[in-house]
């Protein structure tokens, strides 16, 4: 049973042109995702705190995937971007992101990109494969309207993309010792907590 940790944005200060905010629609989106994933047999947890708290909880739980979701506030530019980290198994992260992208293109006809980043907190500190998903731009009226009208369907397509990745792993990886994606070793709870505290003192460095 795959273990998927979902982390919605906590940025309530980012207002959406449709009237809510990034926190509210990210949580609604993740709620639908969790339902679809659980119905398909995945074990799911949802972050109820900060990114720092979520990464620590995910690491202790030993999640297979850490998936964080947010919406972009970059002007009025439309589009969707999946961010993956450089410091993990890049080929596996890209494969997972590509499968999500493929599913998203079935419902969303805007731009969907995959970007490699160095400094996102989650991609640096999560022990598991990590996907940071900017699903739409909440300052773009067309994007935001589409998202709010189709939030359930978009969540379902993203969930299917994650499950497609696990289907691939199950069908293609035969030798667990030599071919299974390797992630950095899990820290002890005490070490993870100390890391969390140290980084939280200056978390903004990851979002420059």
């Amino acid at each position: 049973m795959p273990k998927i940790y979902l982390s919605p944005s906590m940025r309530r200060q980012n207002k959406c042109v449709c009237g809510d905010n990034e926190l509210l629609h990210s949580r609604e989106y993740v709620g639908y995702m969790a339902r679809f994933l659980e119905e398909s047999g995945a074990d799911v947890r949802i972050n109820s705190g900060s990114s720092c708290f979520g990464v620590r909880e995910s690491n202790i739980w030993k999640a297979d995937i850490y998936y964080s979701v947010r919406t972009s506030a970059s002007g009025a530019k439309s589009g969707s971007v999946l961010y993956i980290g450089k410091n993990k198994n890049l080929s596996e992260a890209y494969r997972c992101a590509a499968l999500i992208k493929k599913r998203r293109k079935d419902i969303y006809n805007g731009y969907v990109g995959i970007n490699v980043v160095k400094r996102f907190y989650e991609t640096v500190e999560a022990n598991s494969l990590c996907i940071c998903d900017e699903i739409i731009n909440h300052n773009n009226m067309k994007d935001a309207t589409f998202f709010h009208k189709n939030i359930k369907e978009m969540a379902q397509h993203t969930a299917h993309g994650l499950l497609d990745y696990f289907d691939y792993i199950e069908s293609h990886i035969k030798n667990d010792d030599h071919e299974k994606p390797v992630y950095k070793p899990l820290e002890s709870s005490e070490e993870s907590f100390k890391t969390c505290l140290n980084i939280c003192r200056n978390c903004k460095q990851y979002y420059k």
Side-chain angles (χ1 to χ4, degrees):
M1 177 184 294
K3 297 167 73 172
I4 302 173
Y5 193 91
L6 305 177
S7 182
S9 172
M10 297 296 290
R11 298 171 181 173
R12 67 174 75 244
Q13 73 274 15
N14 288 348
K15 305 300 180 183
C16 176
V17 293
C18 288
D20 63 351
N21 61 54
E22 186 175 337
L23 180 150
L24 291 175
H25 57 221
S26 294
R27 287 204 169 278
E28 183 180 359
Y29 180 82
V30 159
Y32 286 125
M33 277 190 67
R35 183 189 306 174
F36 294 129
L37 290 168
E38 288 171 343
E39 287 174 354
S40 300
D43 194 0
V44 178
R45 289 190 184 182
I46 299 176
N47 182 13
S48 60
S50 67
S51 295
C52 195
F53 174 86
V55 168
R56 177 174 177 259
E57 185 175 57
S58 172
N59 288 348
I60 292 171
W61 186 46
K62 299 183 181 179
D64 296 303
I65 288 181
Y66 184 97
Y67 172 88
S68 75
V69 61
R70 63 197 73 176
T71 53
S72 174
S74 56
K77 185 179 179 180
S78 65
S80 179
V81 181
L82 295 146
Y83 293 97
I84 56 178
K86 231 175 182 180
N87 60 321
K88 303 293 193 305
N89 190 321
L90 184 58
S91 63
E92 290 302 316
Y94 188 89
R95 189 191 312 282
C96 182
L99 290 169
I100 295 172
K101 175 181 177 177
K102 182 179 178 181
R103 288 285 190 170
R104 185 162 299 163
K105 293 297 290 182
D106 288 341
I107 186 174
Y108 175 68
N109 62 9
Y111 170 80
V112 182
I114 301 173
N115 286 358
V116 179
V117 293
K118 293 180 180 179
R119 295 176 64 83
F120 276 17
Y121 173 74
E122 299 96 321
T123 62
V124 173
E125 295 301 323
N127 290 344
S128 62
L129 185 151
C130 180
I131 304 289
C132 295
D133 192 358
E134 283 191 351
I135 41 180
I136 52 95
N137 187 327
H138 59 242
N139 282 336
N140 180 282
M141 181 58 76
K142 183 179 178 181
D143 255 16
T145 300
F146 176 85
F147 175 62
H148 281 276
K149 286 184 177 179
N150 300 277
I151 189 168
K152 186 175 181 179
E153 290 77 13
M154 286 193 76
Q156 186 174 25
H157 278 70
T158 302
H160 282 315
L162 290 171
L163 294 170
D164 287 344
Y165 174 73
F166 287 107
D167 287 344
Y168 173 87
I169 294 299
E170 185 176 348
S171 61
H172 287 75
I173 296 179
K174 306 299 182 183
N175 188 331
D176 288 341
D177 293 330
H178 298 288
E179 297 184 48
K180 189 174 181 180
V182 177
Y183 310 116
K184 67 180 183 180
L186 183 69
E187 297 173 322
S188 70
S189 297
E190 183 177 356
E191 289 172 336
S192 179
F193 183 63
K194 287 178 181 177
T195 300
C196 184
L197 285 178
N198 288 335
I199 293 171
C200 269
R201 293 189 181 105
N202 193 22
C203 270
K204 291 183 180 177
Q205 66 178 300
Y206 290 97
Y207 297 97
K208 291 180 181 177

